[in-house]
Amino acid sequence: MDQKENRRIAQTRRLLQEGLLRLLEHEKLEQIRVTALCKEAGINRATFYNHYASPVELLREMEQQLADELAQITEIPTSIEDIAEQMERTCIKLKENARLVEVLVHYHADRDLEETVASLAAHYSRNRLDMNRTHLDDDTTHLVSTFLFAGSYAVIQEWLLRDIDKTPKEIAELVLSIVSRDYL
């Protein structure tokens, strides 16, 4: 496949993704028909079916694409500073894709996003626990990490869904500040 064809395919997918998000502002996913999506995106049905079987498949691809982009951000951190920087970059990426995140949360299809935030929170809490050489047993450590993850993800969700006027850096700092309090 040549570069021109690759750009055309990427453009087609982008148009379909943008069209789907616009339609989801007014309709439920189950109500969106391929014809309406193609009209919204400015492409024909045959082109749509060259890439996808349904709007649901398109949404799944969008989720996977965002998850892949988030996975590129998160590496195994070696310091608290690495975790803070990764959390901020994650918040930036999520803010850039706030509409998609809202759709994924609405359809309970945000598991990959949850796992990314969980990974960062787990690394952070493990790092803090190791630094403090706490006396917590493995089960308690797991429960604390679960609590911290759930709260971290809830903060990020609320920030995005309510469009709270905080920067990604402020949210990352808030989450990490909460995670570092008291118990750890």
Side-chain angles (χ1 to χ4, degrees), residues 72-97:
Q72 290 176 358
I73 292 171
T74 56
E75 303 162 357
I76 297 176
T78 57
S79 68
I80 296 285
E81 291 77 21
D82 287 348
I83 295 168
E85 191 260 332
Q86 287 180 31
M87 182 65 81
E88 182 179 355
R89 287 183 14 222
T90 298
C91 288
I92 290 168
K93 181 58 72 177
L94 293 173
K95 185 68 171 178
E96 290 171 352
N97 291 277

Side-chain angles (χ1 to χ4, degrees), residues 20-71:
L20 181 61
L21 290 177
R22 282 192 302 273
L23 289 175
L24 285 169
E25 291 176 13
H26 309 288
E27 298 178 53
K28 293 181 179 181
L29 182 62
E30 308 80 42
Q31 297 171 325
I32 295 176
R33 301 291 171 243
V34 172
T35 302
L37 177 55
C38 291
K39 183 177 179 182
E40 183 70 29
I43 64 164
N44 65 49
R45 286 173 53 93
T47 301
F48 175 86
Y49 286 115
N50 283 338
H51 300 281
Y52 307 101
S54 69
V56 171
E57 186 178 315
L58 172 58
L59 182 60
R60 283 189 194 126
E61 180 184 88
M62 293 166 69
E63 176 193 18
Q64 186 60 55
Q65 183 179 350
L66 180 56
D68 290 346
E69 290 172 11
L70 290 171

